[in-house]
Amino acid sequence: MKKVSSAEYYERGNRCRREGRWHEAINNYIAAIELDPDSPAVEAKRMLDDILGYYNKDMYNP
């Protein structure tokens, strides 16, 4: 069985993000970070967390 590298998890995460499968993207970024704490997946995951955590009360309470 082939061992998956941090870079491969990061690329999988990017592919999932582009396809709108954000949950899978985050899971792949987490796997990449576990293998390499200095991976670019750290920033990618942070950006997705910011997007998913965005809330503008004015948009929901006209």
Side-chain angles (χ1 to χ4, degrees):
M1 186 167 166
K2 181 184 173 205
K3 184 178 176 186
V4 179
S5 71
S6 173
E8 288 173 308
Y9 277 121
Y10 174 65
E11 289 303 320
R12 284 182 191 174
N14 286 339
R15 187 172 43 254
C16 291
R17 178 185 45 81
R18 285 190 299 270
E19 294 172 357
R21 298 180 295 148
W22 291 4
H23 180 76
E24 290 177 57
I26 289 174
N27 287 340
N28 280 290
Y29 291 149
I30 289 170
I33 293 166
E34 287 175 354
L35 293 173
D36 178 12
D38 296 323
S39 168
V42 172
E43 181 64 18
K45 182 183 176 300
R46 187 194 61 77
M47 287 190 301
L48 266 185
D49 287 342
D50 286 347
I51 290 168
L52 293 172
Y54 177 76
Y55 176 79
N56 181 343
K57 67 179 179 124
D58 294 334
M59 291 177 67
Y60 297 102
N61 298 312

